[in-house]
Amino acid sequence: MKLVTFHSEGRGNRVGAVTAEGSIVDLNAAYALYLRDVQGEGAFYALADARVPADMRGLFENGDRGLDAARSALEFSMKEGPRVGPSGESIFFRRDAVRIMAPIIPKKFFHTAGNFREHHTEAQKAGFSHPVLPWIVFFQNVDAIIGPDQEIVYPEHLTEELDYELELAVVMKKSGKHFPAERASEFIGGYVIFNDITARDIQRTEMKSGVFSFCKGIDTFCPLGPHIVTADEIPNPNNLAMELRVNGQARQQSHSSKMSVTIPEIVAHYSPMGYSAGDVLSTGTVSGVAAFSGDPKSLYLKPGDVVECEIEKIGVLRNPVVSYKEKHGGKSVAAA
């Protein structure tokens, strides 16, 4: 399944599944109808809210039971066609009739780095201030998460070097800690695209103290989406083509097979920190970032740019870049 969070006027945020034709099925409403018409349940709304809640984190907190229920709802809807829910509510939505949001706001966002050694190699060649060593981890600011087509806000009062980093991220479907790579698949619920927006000038200053958090955690610096693809549709996440484009021009082109470790190994390595269902874990970026190119200033992001992150079998995460002043109507930092 391709799972989305979408906003519908009058109904708020909902959890849906994208069909092959591009429409969206409201999984909570579809499951309520399935429970009533197929299972003969009387308390169909209460059971639907419990098993397939209209909140993505809640769905993943239900683990396989929730995902299996969502799958049943989708299959039932595709078989029955465009019907309405038990109270006449819409089940099928046109994509252009709703607003697609970030698919999930996790409790914790584990930000890992150093898993693509090609990124370390390009950093060395560019004379970057610090090596990109293996097994780097820190926490991302979940309040900085934005969804597809939402604006990356360029804070020109803070940085002059806004960079991009294409990453594959994992969504956990089960809580756990201290487990080996052989068990990692028990905990992986799906995959999503992450664009690790980074203020490089701030990063260089932070890294003098051995940290880099502010440079990556500023508001809107965490585009995530466009949807979560469940793990059953991507049996080998270390076999995916990856590309990032700015204004249609390819900047990063690589493949998840170039990781120096496997995704199960990454997930297991950080398991002593403890996962909650619905947590997100990024897996590092590939070569081709602006900072490590021959001409960084010409490649750093600027207002008016459109960034597209594409990963095979997942899709395209697209975000425009706007200036802070434009976003806030020309107001100064203090006034905004």
Side-chain angles (χ1 to χ4, degrees):
M1 294 181 291
K2 291 182 173 65
L3 300 172
V4 294
T5 294
F6 68 98
H7 183 86
S8 171
E9 290 299 325
R11 299 187 66 193
N13 288 356
R14 311 288 295 174
V15 170
V18 182
T19 70
E21 293 75 28
S23 60
I24 296 171
V25 172
D26 183 324
L27 292 173
N28 175 267
Y31 192 62
L33 189 65
Y34 168 80
L35 288 171
R36 189 192 72 176
D37 291 3
V38 178
Q39 299 293 320
E41 292 283 357
F44 45 85
Y45 275 128
L47 282 172
D49 288 344
R51 295 177 186 173
V52 189
D55 168 74
M56 192 71 76
R57 195 165 111 192
L59 178 62
F60 275 83
E61 286 172 347
N62 283 340
D64 283 330
R65 183 183 184 186
L67 293 173
D68 288 344
R71 194 170 289 108
S72 294
L74 177 60
E75 291 172 354
F76 170 74
S77 298
M78 297 308 296
K79 179 181 177 181
E80 295 295 314
R83 295 176 58 187
V84 295
S87 297
E89 67 271 33
S90 297
I91 290 179
F92 282 80
F93 293 83
R94 297 193 325 274
R95 193 180 185 95
D96 61 4
V98 298
R99 184 154 44 99
I100 306 300
M101 312 296 290
I104 193 167
I105 305 298
K107 179 180 179 182
K108 300 189 298 297
F109 193 125
F110 296 81
H111 196 147
T112 83
N115 303 314
F116 285 91
R117 302 317 299 147
E118 62 183 43
H119 185 48
H120 167 70
T121 300
E122 69 171 355
Q124 282 189 315
K125 289 180 179 178
F128 193 61
S129 58
H130 291 73
V132 184
L133 298 175
W135 302 121
I136 297 170
V137 67
F138 55 97
F139 286 107
Q140 176 63 287
N141 173 21
V142 297
D143 288 339
I145 292 174
I146 60 172
D149 297 309
Q150 292 184 305
E151 296 164 335
I152 299 167
V153 179
Y154 188 132
E156 52 271 272
H157 55 288
L158 296 176
T159 181
E160 296 179 351
E161 300 179 5
L162 196 65
D163 210 346
Y164 45 80
E165 291 189 5
L166 168 63
E167 302 196 25
L168 172 66
V170 179
V171 182
M172 312 303 290
K173 67 176 180 181
K174 181 178 175 181
S175 298
K177 61 187 73 171
H178 294 289
F179 56 81
E182 292 74 22
R183 291 189 56 211
S185 61
E186 299 174 24
F187 299 86
I188 297 173
Y191 302 95
V192 65
I193 301 171
F194 166 47
N195 186 0
D196 177 18
I197 301 297
T198 306
R200 295 295 182 194
D201 38 8
I202 297 175
Q203 183 181 33
R204 285 195 300 273
T205 300
E206 284 193 289
M207 290 185 73
K208 292 176 182 178
S209 299
V211 297
F212 46 99
S213 181
F214 181 42
C215 65
K216 294 174 177 284
I218 295 170
D219 184 41
T220 74
F221 277 23
C222 188
L224 196 68
H227 42 245
I228 298 167
V229 177
T230 51
D232 58 295
E233 295 198 12
I234 303 180
N236 183 5
N238 285 105
N239 188 31
L240 303 173
M242 305 172 67
E243 181 174 282
L244 181 144
R245 299 179 293 273
V246 178
N247 303 328
Q249 180 184 33
R251 297 283 184 86
Q252 292 183 280
Q253 289 179 302
S254 193
H255 202 274
S256 64
S257 63
K258 294 185 178 182
M259 288 186 192
S260 57
V261 289
T262 66
I263 286 177
E265 287 171 336
I266 296 169
V267 171
H269 182 82
Y270 296 112
S271 67
M273 301 176 76
Y275 297 119
S276 300
D279 282 352
V280 172
L281 180 144
S282 71
T283 60
T285 195
V286 301
S287 60
V289 299
F292 304 153
S293 69
D295 186 10
K297 289 186 178 181
S298 70
L299 297 180
Y300 283 131
L301 296 174
K302 59 186 182 299
D305 285 345
V306 176
V307 188
E308 294 176 305
C309 299
E310 183 170 6
I311 297 181
E312 184 181 3
K313 297 186 178 180
I314 299 180
V316 178
L317 171 63
R318 182 181 297 103
N319 297 94
V321 181
V322 300
S323 74
Y324 180 93
K325 289 182 179 179
E326 176 186 346
K327 181 71 174 178
H328 295 285
K331 294 179 182 179
S332 66
V333 177

